[in-house]
Amino acid sequence: MKRLLAAGFALLVLAGCSTDLPDAAPPGSSGAPATSEFFDQAEYDRQLALRDAKPVGPADKPWEQALNPEMADTARFAKPGPYEICFANASVDNPWRQVGWKTMQVEATLHPEIGKFTVLDAEAKDDKQISDIQQLTSGGCSALIVSPNTTATLTPAVEAACAKGIPVIVFDRGVNTKCPVTFIHPIGGYAFGATAAEFLAGKVGQGGKVLALRVLPGVDVLEHRWAAGQRILAAKGVTVAGVEFTGNDGAKAKSIVSDYLQRGDINGIWMDDGTAAVPVLEAFEDAGKPLPAISGEDQQQFLDKWRGEKLTAQAPTYPTYQWRTPVIAAVKVLKGEQVPKEWILPQPVITDTTLDSYRGQGMPPLHYALCGCQQMPGYPGKWK
C-alpha cells in the first residue's frame, strides 16, 4: 500500500490511494463495523478469495504475474518502435513512491524498444497532473502511463487521453472509467486489512485488546483496510481498545500508544500502514511492557526489528514491484500483445517463515523489500 506518508506528508497515501475525502469516523471510535460508502461487500468477498488464487506468469517474477486474468486485445495499438513511453506520476513524496520510482526508471532501461521515457511529476496536485496529461498527450507519446493523484478528479483527464487514441495504462491508484487498456494493481486494501486482523485475532485471542492505528480518514485503500480489519476483529471477538489517526507521524503514533498503555495493557497493534511500526514498539519498550503482536509492512526498519527482537509480527504488503509492470505492459501493448484488462498482481504476506528471504542486508531504513529490484542492474546502490 502498501499503496505511506512520512512525518511531513499530510494527505497522500504511499500505498497508492485516492485522496477524495468523505466524512469519516472520529478518532478513538470502536465497536461494530459501521456502514461506509467505502465498503463494497462484493469487492470485499472478491479480494479475500483472490488471496488463494494461483497466479499466472513467471514464478520468479511476481510483477509479471496476474490473478484470474481476462485478456484484452491490443492489436489496434501495434506500431513499430522505437517508442516514447510517457508517465504522468502523482508524486514521489514518500518513501514507498520513491522506491517504486527508482525501480520503474531501471525497468525502462531494460527494454531496447523504448527510445524515450518522458516523465512529469504532479507534486501531489490534481490540477498539475491534469495539465501534465494534456501536455504529454499533445506530444509524441506512443503510450501513456498514469498513476492518478486522486480517483474522481483525474477520471476526466484520463478519459480525454483515451479519446486521443493513445493506449493508456493506469496503475497503483484507479480512476472511474474503463477506458484504459489495463489497470494494474495488487489485490487491494480489503485483503491487506483482513490478513492483518486474522493474524492478530489468532495471537491475542477472544477478548484480547487491539489498538488500531490509522493514518488518516477518507483515503480509499486505507478505508478498505480498516473496513476489513474491523469486521474480522469483531467476528473473532477481539476487543478494539481504540481507533486513532496518526498522520503517519512516528512521534505522534508513539505518544498515542504511550497514552493507551497508561490506561492498561494492549495485546496487539493493527496498522493500516506500517511506517510508524518501530516508534510504536518503542513506546512499549519505554513503558516496560511486553512487545505486542503487531502487523507492519515490508519496510526495512520494521523487518530488521522483527528479526532482532523476535517479534510476534506479520507484514501484509502493497508491493512496490508494481512499478515495473506498467512499463512491461506499455511495451506489450505497442507490440499488439494481449495484456490483462485488470492486471491484478499477487500481494504477498511476510511471515516468520519468509522474513529472512525478504529482508535485505544493509538497505536504508525506509526501503521496501518487495521492490522486485534485487536482480536489477545497479542494485543495491541505486536504491540507497
Side-chain angles (χ1 to χ4, degrees), residues 14 48 61 83 101 103 110 167 187 212 240 293 296 305 317 321 348 356:
L14 82 82
L48 268 58
K61 297 178 180 180
Y83 307 128
W101 170 227
T103 302
L110 302 181
I187 297 173
V240 178
K305 191 168 184 67
T317 68
Y321 60 56
D356 285 339

Side-chain angles (χ1 to χ4, degrees), residues 12 89-91 122-130 132 149 154:
L12 281 178
N89 190 16
S91 69
E123 301 171 358
K125 300 172 184 175
D126 283 345
D127 56 350
K128 186 177 187 308
Q129 189 168 38
I130 291 169
D132 289 347
N149 188 51
L154 267 297

Side-chain angles (χ1 to χ4, degrees), residues 13-342:
V13 110
L14 82 82
C17 317
S18 165
T19 52
D20 299 310
L21 303 177
D23 295 334
S29 64
S30 61
T35 301
S36 167
E37 67 178 273
F38 284 104
F39 185 72
D40 181 319
Q41 184 69 53
E43 179 62 17
Y44 173 85
D45 293 339
R46 182 179 84 128
Q47 289 190 20
L48 268 58
L50 279 169
R51 296 183 300 175
D52 298 321
K54 184 177 180 180
V56 176
D60 59 343
K61 297 178 180 180
W63 50 90
E64 294 186 20
Q65 295 175 358
L67 303 177
N68 298 348
E70 294 183 10
M71 307 305 286
D73 181 22
T74 68
R76 67 191 183 281
F77 296 116
K79 60 188 298 184
Y83 307 128
E84 179 180 356
I85 306 298
C86 297
F87 176 35
N89 190 16
S91 69
V92 286
D93 65 354
N94 61 64
W96 185 90
R97 301 193 70 83
Q98 290 161 12
V99 171
W101 170 227
K102 291 174 185 177
T103 302
M104 178 184 269
Q105 290 177 84
V106 177
E107 179 65 42
T109 70
L110 302 181
H111 300 271
E113 306 93 335
I114 299 176
K116 187 177 182 181
F117 188 42
T118 303
V119 182
L120 295 177
D121 190 305
E123 301 171 358
K125 300 172 184 175
D126 283 345
D127 56 350
K128 186 177 187 308
Q129 189 168 38
I130 291 169
S131 176
D132 289 347
I133 291 173
Q134 292 171 342
Q135 179 179 337
L136 290 170
T137 55
S138 297
C141 298
S142 306
L144 175 67
I145 298 169
V146 182
S147 177
N149 188 51
T150 63
T151 295
T153 307
L154 267 297
T155 294
V158 170
E159 289 178 326
C162 292
K164 293 186 177 183
I166 300 171
V168 177
I169 295 154
V170 172
F171 85 101
D172 171 31
R173 305 163 176 169
V175 285
N176 296 325
T177 176
K178 296 185 181 297
C179 79
V181 178
T182 182
F183 172 34
I184 298 163
H185 62 92
I187 297 173
Y190 293 128
F192 184 110
T195 298
E198 289 165 353
F199 167 76
L200 290 171
K203 296 301 180 182
V204 308
Q206 188 171 359
K209 294 174 65 177
V210 168
L211 175 60
L213 297 178
R214 304 188 55 199
V215 177
L216 71 165
V219 178
D220 57 1
V221 171
L222 297 185
E223 292 288 354
H224 294 165
R225 290 177 182 182
W226 177 231
Q230 190 178 21
R231 280 163 174 75
I232 297 293
L233 294 174
K236 298 290 187 180
V238 174
T239 299
V240 178
V243 184
E244 301 289 348
F245 292 102
T246 69
N248 217 30
D249 182 328
K252 182 177 181 180
K254 182 176 180 179
S255 177
I256 289 169
V257 174
S258 296
D259 289 344
Y260 271 84
L261 291 175
Q262 290 178 12
R263 306 174 206 168
D265 290 338
I266 297 293
N267 310 117
I269 298 289
W270 181 97
M271 306 184 77
D272 65 6
D273 171 84
T275 309
V278 171
V280 164
L281 292 168
E282 290 171 350
F284 282 83
E285 293 169 337
D286 291 350
K289 300 283 189 178
L291 294 178
I294 186 170
S295 65
E297 278 192 282
D298 57 315
Q299 202 172 57
Q300 183 72 26
Q301 60 183 353
F302 176 66
L303 302 183
D304 285 343
K305 191 168 184 67
W306 181 352
R307 170 53 62 216
E309 302 292 336
K310 294 180 170 56
L311 300 176
T312 300
Q314 187 191 73
T317 68
Y318 192 74
T320 43
Y321 60 56
Q322 67 185 279
W323 289 71
R324 299 189 67 166
T325 315
V327 177
I328 294 168
V331 173
K332 284 181 173 291
V333 168
L334 292 170
K335 290 182 174 181
E337 299 176 8
Q338 290 189 337
V339 296
K341 179 64 177 175
E342 183 183 14

